Amino acid sequence: MTGSALYRKVADDIKSAIAAGTYPPNTKLPSESELAEEYSVSRGTIRQAFAALRADGVIASRRGARRVVIGGARVQSFGELLSFSRWARAIGEVPAGRVVALERRPATAPEAARLALPAGAHVYRLVRVRLLADRPVMVERAVYPDHVGALVAGMDLTAESITERLEQLGIAFTDAEHVIDAVPASADDARWLGVRPAVPLLRERRFTTDRSGQPVEWSDDRYLGSAIAFSIHNSVAVNALSRTSAAAD
């Protein structure tokens, strides 16, 4: 395992332990030497893991003192393509869903263009509230081509992961383009998430394709910033992160 993979494994393990309640907010983590011995790695590797956790807003530190767990948002990384359910389980949470609406209807012009559908084609549109520990944290609005949506309509959307179930049925979500910005909560968002209208939400718009490059999903997910934070790792060697003007979108 490379040095990068080692410190990321340590950081991910600590995140999972924090999410599971092993290290509650405001408690101290084990020392560098204790973790280095536990993982059979150098203290430098542990310091890298702590630096990654600090960057994610998970822990705080003072010179000469042990790192302290910060209460607050769970951090979702975009370093790999994970469904909400898979990510939630990875941090020790139990994901759930509450369906607001699921309908089959003709695609709007923007939907048809984004999903590469002919005029008049039908799509399935899903609106679902996602929960962690029974608390609403995200509103999901997803549009699927007809053949994909027909499969989604047959699922238990309160508990099943759409991505994982579709994989079992032969449709794999393999590539995605993410656009992240902030938007004020609409009246519907506010009602479903239990917040005031116009509260800022983190919005992730995602366009997903399968192995052959065919569009399989176009979604607009709106997260409570107090519950979820996003993490993106990039480097000078491989940089998939770009910036666009909101006015140009």
Side-chain angles (χ1 to χ4, degrees):
M1 191 178 290
T2 66
S4 174
L6 281 171
Y7 87 76
R8 289 194 170 280
K9 172 176 170 43
V10 175
D12 287 345
D13 285 355
I14 293 173
K15 277 186 191 178
S16 296
I18 291 171
T22 304
Y23 304 120
N26 302 315
T27 60
K28 294 179 180 179
L29 292 176
S31 68
E32 288 179 6
S33 57
E34 289 170 336
L35 288 169
E37 182 177 353
E38 177 182 345
Y39 283 91
S40 299
V41 297
S42 69
R43 291 180 65 170
T45 297
I46 301 301
R47 281 194 290 271
Q48 283 183 290
F50 283 155
L53 293 169
R54 278 198 310 275
D56 285 344
V58 176
I59 65 171
S61 63
R62 295 194 315 273
R63 197 178 198 87
R66 287 194 182 186
R67 279 72 175 181
V68 176
V69 176
I70 298 174
R74 290 85 157 177
V75 178
Q76 180 174 358
S77 171
F78 285 93
E80 57 182 318
L81 184 56
L82 287 179
S83 69
F84 177 88
S85 295
R86 203 168 264 163
W87 163 76
R89 290 196 298 269
I91 63 167
E93 292 281 2
V94 178
R98 186 168 66 237
V99 176
V100 176
L102 176 63
E103 60 176 340
R104 180 178 184 265
R105 55 162 174 75
T108 64
E111 290 167 353
R114 200 65 171 111
L115 295 173
L117 299 173
H122 280 72
V123 294
Y124 280 79
R125 183 175 185 267
L126 169 67
V127 180
R128 182 168 59 155
V129 179
R130 304 309 308 271
L131 303 97
L132 294 178
D134 294 325
R135 178 193 175 192
V137 296
M138 185 260 278
V139 177
E140 169 187 22
R141 295 174 174 89
V143 180
Y144 302 96
D146 202 30
H147 71 287
V148 178
L151 298 174
V152 171
M155 299 178 189
D156 177 4
L157 297 173
T158 64
E160 280 192 286
S161 163
I162 291 174
T163 304
E164 293 174 17
R165 183 66 182 125
L166 286 175
E167 285 177 1
Q168 296 169 2
L169 296 171
I171 298 176
F173 287 20
T174 57
D175 292 277
E177 170 190 308
H178 307 267
V179 178
I180 301 167
D181 60 3
V183 294
S186 68
D188 285 339
D189 293 332
R191 185 170 70 256
W192 296 330
L193 293 172
V195 297
R196 296 188 309 275
V199 164
L201 301 177
L202 278 172
R203 178 173 66 172
E204 177 212 352
R205 283 169 290 174
R206 185 177 60 257
F207 171 63
T208 312
T209 56
D210 64 12
R211 290 190 180 92
S212 67
Q214 290 298 306
V216 288
E217 180 196 47
W218 187 30
S219 69
D220 177 316
D221 297 343
R222 303 184 183 194
Y223 293 82
L224 280 176
S226 59
I228 306 290
F230 295 150
S231 168
I232 300 171
H233 174 77
N234 61 341
S235 71
V236 294
V238 179
N239 190 348
L241 179 65
S242 63
R243 298 173 178 83
T244 59
S245 167
D249 182 30

